[in-house]
Amino acid sequence: MVFVPEFGWAGLWQAVFHSISAFNNAGFALHPDSLSQWVGNPIVNLVIPALFILGGLGFIVVGDVYRTRNWRKLTLHSKLMLVGTALLITWGSVMFGLLEWQNPETLGPLNVVEKLWASWFQGTTPCTAGFNTINTGGMHNSTSLLPMTLMLVGGGSTSTAGGIKVTTLCVLLLATIAFFRRQTTLHAFGRSLGLDEVMKVLALTTISMLLILTGVFVMTINHDGQFTDIAFEVTSAFGTVGLSRGITSELDGIGRGIIMTIMFVGRVGPLAIGFFFATRSVPKVKYPAGQIYLG
């Protein structure tokens, strides 16, 4: 209904390609400006995000929803994913619209309806989708931090998305709340989470942040450019998103090698690599407890 009327039979191939690319959170488009030509098209702004949101939720969540069709019967993982994804998309869409509403390089030239569609699209696509309907390089520096945050979080476990995952963010927030409430266990939707989950998300987040910071540091040494552009590029690579502020073509072989390495680690998963190198051993000596001061 969009590509075929405009491009003829070649549009059928484009429709299939963009649908597969969206569901797999690849972000590859057949146009130099991605999907910017259809910034105000309702079908493109509904179908493409629906596909990459479904792919980003994960097969376990989609299967759980299809099987139970009852909120109370959903697993804790599915509930956290659905609520977390909805909150992130709402926050990203609203904040993008507020920050970029008058920017002449992004939302400024559009009418009100197109601005709303573009805000919705740009609020959802950083969760590892990779498409864009506006000039990403024209965003304010303050706005660039918004998609960087969403790209870092990514989508769901066992999904086509990258990032540290939505459930990781949820567990981190629950652990923080539990700390201030002096609780020893985490609770969500009538279920509890153990220490193992907290240890895993702490390890995953630490490894991910160290990887991103190291990548940004090495990239700044190798490439003279705006710090925001470099940080955006590295974060996008880690989240396997594909969004860029326009410096990808300016990178030399070393810079592209760094980006590819970060993309590989982001796709395989920092925690998976950590488990691969980790060793399991039974402690032979039990040490007395010690105390350190934190914060």
Side-chain angles (χ1 to χ4, degrees):
M1 297 176 65
V2 176
F3 297 110
V4 173
E6 188 169 346
F7 300 102
W9 287 109
L12 182 61
W13 159 248
Q14 294 203 26
V16 173
F17 182 93
H18 288 100
S19 296
I20 296 175
S21 179
F23 181 77
N24 287 285
N25 279 244
F28 290 115
L30 298 176
H31 304 276
D33 57 354
S34 191
L35 300 177
S36 298
Q37 302 176 47
W38 300 277
V39 61
N41 188 290
I43 296 178
V44 172
N45 282 280
L46 288 175
V47 174
I48 297 297
L51 287 170
F52 61 64
I53 289 173
L54 283 175
L57 285 174
F59 303 104
I60 291 179
V61 177
V62 175
D64 191 23
V65 173
Y66 178 79
R67 182 177 59 258
T68 61
R69 302 182 185 181
N70 188 326
W71 173 259
R72 294 183 178 180
K73 295 182 179 180
L74 292 177
T75 63
L76 177 60
H77 174 80
S78 297
K79 290 180 179 179
L80 288 176
M81 274 302 307
L82 292 171
V83 173
T85 300
L87 291 176
L88 287 174
I89 289 176
T90 302
W91 176 67
S93 301
V94 172
M95 289 304 299
F96 185 89
L98 292 175
L99 294 171
E100 293 292 311
W101 195 265
Q102 300 295 336
N103 187 351
E105 296 188 37
T106 55
L107 299 184
L110 307 177
N111 58 47
V112 175
V113 175
E114 291 176 338
K115 287 181 179 180
L116 294 176
W117 280 124
S119 299
W120 149 257
F121 198 96
Q122 297 307 132
T124 57
T125 193
C127 296
T128 81
F131 294 101
N132 62 280
T133 57
I134 52 93
N135 176 23
T136 307
M139 295 188 303
H140 295 307
N141 287 336
S142 57
T143 311
S144 298
L145 292 175
L146 176 64
M148 286 171 63
T149 304
L150 296 175
M151 290 188 295
L152 174 63
V153 175
S157 302
T158 71
S159 75
T160 59
I164 65 173
K165 305 299 185 293
V166 175
T167 48
T168 298
L169 176 64
C170 292
V171 174
L172 286 174
L173 293 176
L174 290 173
T176 303
I177 295 173
F179 170 77
F180 285 110
R181 290 184 175 181
R182 303 300 186 190
Q183 297 175 342
T184 56
T185 58
L186 312 185
H187 303 280
F189 299 110
R191 296 291 186 272
S192 62
L193 295 170
L195 181 61
D196 288 343
E197 283 78 8
V198 179
M199 296 293 287
K200 287 178 182 178
V201 300
L202 287 176
L204 173 59
T205 305
T206 301
I207 295 173
S208 300
M209 295 304 300
L210 288 176
L211 175 65
I212 292 175
L213 291 174
T214 302
V216 172
F217 178 70
V218 176
M219 286 288 291
T220 53
I221 296 175
N222 183 70
H223 178 77
D224 289 329
Q226 293 292 329
F227 180 80
T228 303
D229 296 343
I230 295 175
F232 192 96
E233 195 84 6
V234 173
T235 308
S236 178
F238 170 78
T240 64
V241 181
L243 291 177
S244 175
R245 286 176 57 88
I247 69 168
T248 307
S249 59
E250 302 175 4
L251 301 178
D252 58 10
I254 297 177
R256 295 178 184 180
I258 295 171
I259 293 298
M260 287 189 291
T261 303
I262 295 175
M263 282 193 291
F264 176 79
V265 176
R267 179 64 276 179
V268 174
L271 194 59
I273 295 178
F275 278 136
F276 177 78
F277 288 106
T279 58
R280 180 184 294 272
S281 59
V282 179
K284 298 180 180 180
V285 179
K286 186 176 181 180
Y287 296 95
Q291 182 180 5
I292 60 174
Y293 298 96
L294 304 173

